[in-house]
Amino acid sequence: MAISPATPNGPPPAGPAVPAGPDQARRGGRHALPRLSPRTSFVLRRLGRALVSLAVVVVATFLVVHLVPGDPVRAALGPSATPELVERTRAELGLDQPAWRQFTGYLTGLFHGDLGVSLRSHRPVAGTLADRFPTTLALSVLSFLVAALGAVPIGVATAVAARGGRRRAAGAGVSWVLSGLIAVPNFLLAVGLIALFGVTLNALPVAGWGGAAEAVLPVAALAVGPLAYLARIVHVEMLAVLETPYMTTARGKRLPARLLYLRHALPNMITAALTTGGLILTGLVAGTVLIEAVFVIPGLGSTIVSSITAKDYPMIQGVVLVYAALVLGLNLLIDLVLATLDPRSSIMEG
């Protein structure tokens, strides 16, 4: 009689090993790699994109000097500079070396906080930027706070007033006013504010930075357009929220207006407002260039304008790099804040 290869109660016969597939590896196992949480993966993706963008900006700022037609040193020093001065300056900037060696030195200097020496003032670029960066940051943040704190109540109030098609004439008038403010360039608005409050009324200073009075006109010129734009976004989003079924239910419970609009309506439209607000903040940073030039504010914006006029290329490189790093850092911070406030949003997926 043939003997069975295994008894019913014994172990099954050993067969060829089957390699574990990716699904099995993901399901577990002693040597399976741990999976990153969605939040950690999102942060790493955003951080990687920011670093890649910053690397592109570093290369672009290095190429600024090399893409200038002619000799940038001769252009910066002027036609009256002696050949000895031109050659000495080229050697001080390292422009007499091969391009790859210049780029290596440029990267080494960046890692050590050395952005070169200004051709105009002969001061280290990093020191000048460190002195003027707080002014630009303060101007940007103050303008953003004014725009945000003014836009949210205006947008909410106009949406509540226009709910259900009521007060259409007043709503159309507010929309026209906001559209007009959005269309006015900030430098043109700055000139108008100077003419009205500085020259005609002689009520506010039109130049400088340091006190509260000096900040009123530049902050207003920079904040009015973003305030109007953000108010329209808040208005549209609030109208959509007010027509949702849960808001109809909340109104049917006859809740107080404070609870109805601040507790139930406002949190459900804040993500869209914050997304737009983040874009506005980065735009305000770039908008400081013209405003600082108009009001003679000693910040990064006026520095880059004067550096372009004087062909001070090391200073131009430094200012562009700081602006780019600031914008990228703000975008990364805004993404993280939005992901924290609304983890279910699509921002966590890409």
Side-chain angles (χ1 to χ4, degrees), residues 1-5:
M1 178 182 294
I3 300 176
S4 173

Side-chain angles (χ1 to χ4, degrees), residues 85-300:
L85 178 59
V86 173
E87 291 302 323
R88 185 170 67 251
T89 306
R90 287 178 59 84
E92 291 174 356
L93 296 176
L95 297 177
D96 57 342
Q97 300 177 359
W100 66 270
R101 191 181 295 275
Q102 294 180 39
F103 185 65
T104 303
Y106 182 61
L107 290 180
T108 304
L110 290 182
F111 282 112
H112 290 85
D114 182 10
L115 299 176
V117 178
S118 170
L119 293 176
R120 181 178 54 175
S121 64
H122 304 289
R123 288 185 57 197
V125 172
T128 301
L129 299 184
D131 293 338
R132 301 196 171 194
F133 175 77
T135 301
T136 297
L137 185 62
L139 177 59
S140 303
V141 172
L142 283 175
S143 302
F144 177 74
L145 290 178
V146 170
L149 295 178
V152 172
I154 291 175
V156 171
T158 54
V160 172
R163 180 177 60 85
R166 299 175 298 176
R167 301 178 180 89
R168 293 185 179 181
V174 172
S175 179
W176 277 101
V177 171
L178 294 178
S179 299
L181 293 176
I182 295 171
V184 178
N186 55 13
F187 69 90
L188 186 60
L189 181 61
V191 173
L193 292 175
I194 290 174
L196 177 60
F197 294 98
V199 178
T200 304
L201 300 178
N202 196 23
L204 293 169
V206 298
W209 182 267
E214 286 85 357
V216 172
L217 292 184
V219 168
L222 198 57
V224 165
L227 186 152
Y229 181 75
L230 186 57
R232 292 198 62 179
I233 298 297
V234 173
H235 174 86
V236 173
E237 293 294 327
M238 180 59 75
L239 278 179
V241 170
L242 292 177
E243 300 301 326
T244 54
Y246 74 87
M247 285 301 300
T248 303
T249 304
R251 283 192 296 269
K253 295 180 179 179
R254 300 187 179 278
L255 297 176
R258 178 177 58 84
L259 292 178
L260 183 63
Y261 298 119
L262 297 183
R263 183 174 179 179
H264 292 278
L266 192 59
N268 288 280
M269 52 74 59
I270 199 65
T271 300
L274 282 176
T275 303
T276 306
L279 298 176
I280 287 175
L281 178 57
T282 55
L284 286 174
V285 172
T288 57
V289 174
L290 292 177
I291 296 301
E292 288 181 4
V294 172
F295 290 97
V296 199
I297 298 174
L300 296 180

Side-chain angles (χ1 to χ4, degrees), residues 306-322:
S306 59
S307 299
I308 292 173
T309 303
K311 298 182 175 62
D312 190 350
Y313 295 105
M315 186 64 72
I316 296 172
Q317 287 178 312
V319 175
V320 170
L321 189 60
V322 170

Side-chain angles (χ1 to χ4, degrees), residues 42-52 332:
F42 166 77
V43 172
L44 292 178
R45 287 198 306 270
R46 285 294 187 267
L47 184 59
R49 293 178 185 178
L51 292 177
V52 170
L332 179 61

